Structure formats: structure tokens, C-alpha cells
Amino acid sequence: MSEQQGFSPQERRASFTLASIFGMRMLGLFMIMPVFALYGDSLSGFSPLWVGIAIGAYGLTQAILQIPAGWLSDRIGRKPVIYGGLALFAAGSVLAAVSDSVYGVVAGRVLQGSGAIAGAILALAADITREEHRTKAMAIIGVCIGISFAVAMVAGPLLAAHFGLSGVFWATALLALIGIVMVRFLLPDYASKGQIRDVTAAPELFGRLLKDKQLLRLDFGIMLLHLSLTAVFVAFPLSLVDAGLVREQHWWLYFPTLLMSFVLIVPFLILGARRNMNKVLFQASILVMMVALVLMAVAGSQLWLLVVAMVLYFTAFNFMEASLPAFLSMLAPAGGKGTAMGIYSTSQFIGAFVGGVAGGALYQQLGGAGVFLLVALTMVFWFWLSTGMANVSRVRSHILPIGVKIETESARSQLLQRLMALPGVHEALIIPDEGAAYLKVDGNIFELDQAKRLINL
């Protein structure tokens, strides 16, 4: 394959650079989760409620700002927004590192979350890659996010054991500064393509997508998934201590359980894709997560049972984290993926915030078992919600630049009719201002080259 046809060195370097920046930022956000309940007790104002608020606080500002930050990157460019977001993240990390009260740490976490650069990074990845390789670039970013979570579960306890809680925050500040250097020296300046509806949100689509019951199921799903995550990590580290595992050794548990969970989900991801069993495996994962939470609640001082529970929880969590964005991509209408993803990501961050606050409040009133059991009840609701979910198939999205003139409504209508007549095309949308056609197709029978020839007649 020629360089023109394949993933070019420039595209590859830029994709891995952006994925690394995204991953380091998420690493900084996640590292606090397994350690704050254990190492924050020296802070004034410390309580289980404030533990939860500190863990989930970043989600509040992320939820509020991530869509506007994406829009801002359309207007002033991607790199200025990324620079500003990383600077805010570094400032929040420093504030948390030097604080001697839990309130200062919460303020730092809120400031960390205000550096909402996800939309700008994804938009820049779309700017620098050709359409036929965009999915590959987004997959690289997605893999880095998953790796960052796994690394955070090990690196957080290790850093806290050697350098204390402030050391974790200083490390996150350093990661942000490294990210700024990477943007400066590893990413050439690219001309922004403006709004790209596959990665940025279109305001006029919000009303329509918020009424789509299938997409709303996914939005509620990611909200409940991250609600469970932040709530669990208010209580689970303390459960490990009660079971006799000293806090300096917690990474011994997280590392093998995460590794095992990644191995376990691979056959299920393959099975879901090849046998069209996505819905069955999705619902099974909800049940597995519910069982894991119940085991956490009844484990008491039995460390082995907590280990089993965590393997089950991480396996289900990682399967959901990988599957939900794929389902959303399949279900979002042509030209609406960026908007659907914006609503989805906002739901995720709301879940992280609510889970932290609720987990802290519940732990203060009911203890760890109460947290786990009540979060398990949310899984029951999620399972009921999932019964109406469509069993998504092999649907793919494509953006094609239009090489023909469509100056009139009649010309646009004719081109749309021709596109819809192609085998495998489910939806087609032409945006004249962007000079692009958005297609949603059946990947089994759609021929991309045929569509390109039609559009470039």
C-alpha cells in the first residue's frame, strides 16, 4: 500500500501525540480515585462526604464546559484551546497539591475539570487525518484513554505511598506541562476545518437527539457507569484496609485485577461483533456489575471476595466503556455523531460528579456496604432501561468531501437521491457550507469507492 493510501507518518505521529496528551490528562484525573479516601485524612475538613466531592468535582466543570470548549476551538483554533485547557489543568493540580484543607483540594479539582480539551483534541485529530483514516485515529485515542485508567489505578497508590497525596497532584501538574510541550514541538500548525459534525456538536441538533430514546438509553448508561465508578472508589479503598490490605499495597490488587479484566473482555468484544450479540452481552455486563457490587457489600473482611468482586467489576466496566461509544456511533444519525457524543460525554461527567457526591454522603450515613448496595440498585434500573435497547449491527459512518457543485436545492436533492440509492446506505446528509456529505451505512455491503466516484462526478 502506498503512503498516500495508508496511514501517513504525519498522521500517525499526530494521532499518537494527541492520544498521549489526552491519556496523560485522564491519567491525572483518575490517579486520585484509589488514594484520596486513604491519604486525605490529614487535610482539615476531611470527611467521607468531602472525599466523594473531591473525587467527583472535576465532572461538574467538565460537564458544563466541554461542549462550549469544542465550539470555541472552531472559532479560535484547536491549539489555543488545548494550551489553555492544559494550563488550567496544571493550575488546578498545583492548587490541590499545596492545599492543607479538603476545600482547597476540591477547588483544585474543579479547576482541573475546567480544562475541558476533549472536544478540541478530537476536532484536531479530525483536521489532521483523512476521512478514511479518521476512525483509526479515534481508536488510538480511545485505547490511550483505557490505558490511562489502568495505569492510574497502579500509579496513584504507588505515588501516594512514596510522596503522599500532594505528590500525586504534583505529578498531574507535571503531566499537564509535558502535554503543553508536546503540543508545541510535536504538533505542526494545522488549519482548522471549522465544524466537523462527526466530532463537534451542532446546536440545531440538540433538540432532536435529546428526543431519541435509543441515544438517551446510552446517555443514561454512561452516566450510571461513571456514577458507579466514583461512588465505588469512595468506599472500596477503605474496604480493602478493613480486610487487612495496607494502603501501600493496594496497587498489588489493582494491577492483576485490571490485567485479568482486559484479558476477559477480548472474547466478548469479538463475540458481540461477529455474532450480533451486542445487546445480550451488554445486559449481561450490567448483571455482572450488579453481582460485583453485592459481593463488595457482603465481603466484610474477606479479602479474596473483594478481589473476585473487583475482577468482575472491572471486566464489566471495561466492556461497557469500550462498547457504549461504539453503540452510539452506530445509532447516531448521519451528521449527528459529534452532537450525540457531546451529549453523551456531558452525561458521563454528570455521572462522575453525582456519583462522588452521593457516594460520600451514603458512606457517611450507611457505611461502605450501603454505598455498594444502593449503587447495585442503580444497576437494576439500568438493566430495565436496557431492555428497550436496539441490538445494533455493523453500521458505519463516513464523511465525504463533495467534488460536484450543489449550488441549488434541486442539485442537492438529486445527489441525495443518488447516494440513498447506493447499496447499504441507510442515511445521507449534505451540508453545503462544509462541502461534505455524511453517510450512515451497512459496513457489510457498502462500497466506499462507489460513493466517492458518485460524489466526485
Side-chain angles (χ1 to χ4, degrees), residues 19 57 61 117 147 182 185 211 275 332 350 363:
T61 40
I117 60 173
I147 292 173
M182 291 176 71
F185 293 103
K211 296 176 183 178
R275 299 291 182 87
I350 291 172
Y363 190 92

Side-chain angles (χ1 to χ4, degrees), residues 266-346:
V266 171
F268 295 106
L269 289 171
I270 295 173
L271 187 65
R274 292 184 177 176
R275 299 291 182 87
N276 200 24
M277 296 175 60
N278 286 317
K279 181 177 179 179
V280 171
L281 294 173
F282 185 86
Q283 291 185 298
S285 295
I286 299 174
L287 294 176
V288 168
M289 195 172 295
M290 182 175 66
V291 169
L293 289 161
V294 172
L295 289 178
M296 291 178 196
V298 302
S301 60
Q302 300 178 80
L303 182 59
W304 71 270
L305 198 53
L306 289 171
V307 172
V308 170
M310 189 48 64
V311 170
L312 293 174
Y313 181 84
F314 276 149
T315 300
F317 178 88
N318 288 326
F319 179 83
M320 293 291 197
E321 193 81 344
S323 300
L324 280 165
F327 296 167
L328 181 135
S329 179
M330 295 177 191
L331 291 170
K337 182 179 173 182
T339 309
M341 187 59 73
I343 297 170
Y344 170 91
S345 298
T346 298

Side-chain angles (χ1 to χ4, degrees), residues 23 91 227 234 282 326 341 380 391 416 428 450:
L227 181 153
V234 171
F282 185 86
M341 187 59 73
V380 176
N391 188 29
L416 273 175
Q450 187 178 6

Side-chain angles (χ1 to χ4, degrees), residues 358-371:
L362 288 170
Y363 190 92
Q364 198 157 292
Q365 298 297 321
L366 303 173
V371 174

Side-chain angles (χ1 to χ4, degrees), residues 25-38:
R25 182 177 170 280
M26 297 309 296
L27 176 62
L29 289 172
F30 287 143
M31 278 198 298
I32 195 66
M33 293 176 62
V35 300
F36 192 74
L38 303 174

Side-chain angles (χ1 to χ4, degrees), residues 136-377:
K136 192 184 300 182
M138 298 303 171
I140 292 170
I141 293 173
V143 169
C144 265
I145 295 171
I147 292 173
S148 71
F149 176 74
V151 172
M153 293 298 103
V154 177
L158 279 173
L159 284 170
H162 288 89
F163 304 106
L165 188 63
S166 63
V168 177
F169 286 117
W170 283 117
T172 63
L174 178 61
L175 289 172
L177 295 177
I178 292 172
I180 290 173
V181 172
M182 291 176 71
V183 175
R184 173 64 180 84
F185 293 103
L186 296 181
L187 288 177
D189 291 324
Y190 291 91
S192 169
K193 295 179 182 177
Q195 186 181 67
I196 301 174
R197 291 182 174 220
D198 251 24
V199 293
T200 54
E204 65 271 18
L205 294 179
F206 278 113
R208 174 188 171 189
L209 297 189
L210 286 171
K211 296 176 183 178
D212 188 312
K213 294 181 179 179
Q214 292 296 332
L215 292 177
L216 282 176
R217 285 185 174 90
L218 300 181
D219 297 333
F220 274 104
I222 194 63
M223 182 177 71
L224 293 173
L225 185 66
H226 281 261
L227 181 153
S228 79
L229 181 69
T230 50
V232 162
F233 276 98
V234 171
F236 190 76
L238 297 170
S239 296
L240 292 178
V241 172
D242 292 340
L245 188 67
V246 296
R247 62 187 188 179
E248 291 80 10
Q249 297 177 346
H250 283 199
W251 72 273
W252 290 5
L253 180 143
Y254 294 129
F255 178 70
T257 54
L258 273 165
L259 190 63
M260 188 176 299
S261 72
F262 283 126
V263 171
L264 288 174
I265 68 169
V266 171
F268 295 106
L269 289 171
I270 295 173
L271 187 65
R274 292 184 177 176
R275 299 291 182 87
N276 200 24
M277 296 175 60
N278 286 317
K279 181 177 179 179
V280 171
L281 294 173
F282 185 86
Q283 291 185 298
S285 295
I286 299 174
L287 294 176
V288 168
M289 195 172 295
M290 182 175 66
V291 169
L293 289 161
V294 172
L295 289 178
M296 291 178 196
V298 302
S301 60
Q302 300 178 80
L303 182 59
W304 71 270
L305 198 53
L306 289 171
V307 172
V308 170
M310 189 48 64
V311 170
L312 293 174
Y313 181 84
F314 276 149
T315 300
F317 178 88
N318 288 326
F319 179 83
M320 293 291 197
E321 193 81 344
S323 300
L324 280 165
F327 296 167
L328 181 135
S329 179
M330 295 177 191
L331 291 170
K337 182 179 173 182
T339 309
M341 187 59 73
I343 297 170
Y344 170 91
S345 298
T346 298
S347 302
Q348 171 184 326
F349 294 127
I350 291 172
F353 173 68
V354 173
V357 175
L362 288 170
Y363 190 92
Q364 198 157 292
Q365 298 297 321
L366 303 173
V371 174
F372 300 136
L373 288 175
L374 285 173
V375 175
L377 283 178

